[in-house]
Amino acid sequence: MKILKGILFTVLGLVVLALVVAIFVKKEYTVERDIVINKPRQQVYDYIKYLKNQNNFSKWAKMDPAMKTEFRGTDGTVGFVSAWDSNQKDVGKGEQEIKGLQDGKRLDTEIRFIKPFESTCSAYMTTEDASTNATKVTWVFNGKMNYPMNLMSLCMNMDKMIGGDLQIGLNNLKGILEQ
């Protein structure tokens, strides 16, 4: 009986310790990647401001060619929504909405994941002159892991998990625009 009590108190102590540690673990994360595309800034911006074009370069959009897509509103304007629904666990179900546009400079979106888990994050893409006919494109994801789930961030490297996919998307974008 003493051994059983000892095991129970040890497990309980570890759970309490984990919950206390989670209080101090960062809840927010940012993942950022960039690339230089050999095209003028306005031309690059005029392509990326349309969410439908992400289906041409985003790694995630290419993971399930059979996924269902739905579009609501006018693409390239605030309020436009691009939604997806896939039977593949890695793709899931969700939607992305244009939240802000700064002509020639920035596209802000909100991404709402529905399946396999509910989560909301913000993302944006910026364009800036790298030279006369070259543009630096930066793609940024900002997310949040609520307490106590933020404890998982000690074991998960969000930069590695998402960053590679962002870079693949940017490389694809460069290939499309420089053709």
Side-chain angles (χ1 to χ4, degrees):
M1 189 68 166
K2 278 187 173 183
I3 293 174
L4 194 56
K5 273 186 179 179
I7 292 171
L8 180 64
F9 283 125
T10 301
V11 169
L12 187 60
L14 290 173
V15 169
V16 169
L17 177 64
L19 292 174
V20 169
V21 168
I23 292 170
F24 301 101
V25 173
K26 205 164 72 167
K27 293 174 183 67
E28 296 170 355
Y29 62 89
T30 298
V31 180
E32 179 178 328
R33 294 293 185 274
D34 59 61
I35 198 164
V36 173
I37 298 174
N38 295 310
K39 290 291 179 182
R41 180 174 47 87
Q42 192 64 47
Q43 184 178 347
V44 173
Y45 177 80
D46 287 342
Y47 187 83
I48 66 171
K49 77 176 183 178
Y50 294 104
L51 291 186
K52 288 180 183 177
N53 286 340
Q54 283 190 11
N55 292 339
N56 301 327
F57 65 86
S58 170
K59 177 186 175 187
W60 300 303
K62 295 178 175 295
M63 289 174 74
D64 181 6
M67 76 178 163
K68 297 174 192 163
T69 56
E70 177 189 341
F71 305 105
R72 298 187 301 269
T74 303
D75 199 0
T77 64
V78 173
F80 176 77
V81 175
S82 172
W84 70 92
D85 190 356
S86 170
N87 291 326
Q88 290 189 20
K89 181 176 81 168
D90 292 342
V91 179
K93 179 178 182 177
E95 60 186 22
Q96 182 174 203
E97 179 180 351
I98 297 177
K99 289 296 198 175
L101 295 163
Q102 292 177 3
D103 189 41
K105 297 179 182 174
R106 183 172 167 136
L107 161 71
D108 286 277
T109 63
E110 180 178 85
I111 304 167
R112 298 180 287 266
F113 299 99
I114 300 166
K115 288 182 186 175
F117 57 89
E118 287 193 34
S119 175
T120 300
C121 69
S122 62
Y124 64 88
M125 295 180 87
T126 61
T127 56
E128 62 183 87
D129 292 328
S131 69
T132 306
N133 284 316
T135 304
K136 178 181 175 185
V137 177
T138 304
W139 199 355
V140 179
F141 268 63
N142 295 305
K144 183 176 181 181
M145 297 178 82
N146 293 324
Y147 174 87
M149 298 306 288
N150 63 317
L151 193 58
M152 291 188 325
S153 67
L154 294 174
C155 305
M156 297 169 31
N157 185 330
M158 296 305 284
D159 190 72
K160 282 186 180 179
M161 289 175 62
I162 298 172
D165 293 348
L166 289 180
Q167 194 63 56
I168 289 169
L170 288 171
N171 292 342
N172 291 340
L173 177 64
K174 180 179 176 78
I176 290 167
L177 292 177
E178 288 184 359
Q179 280 185 8

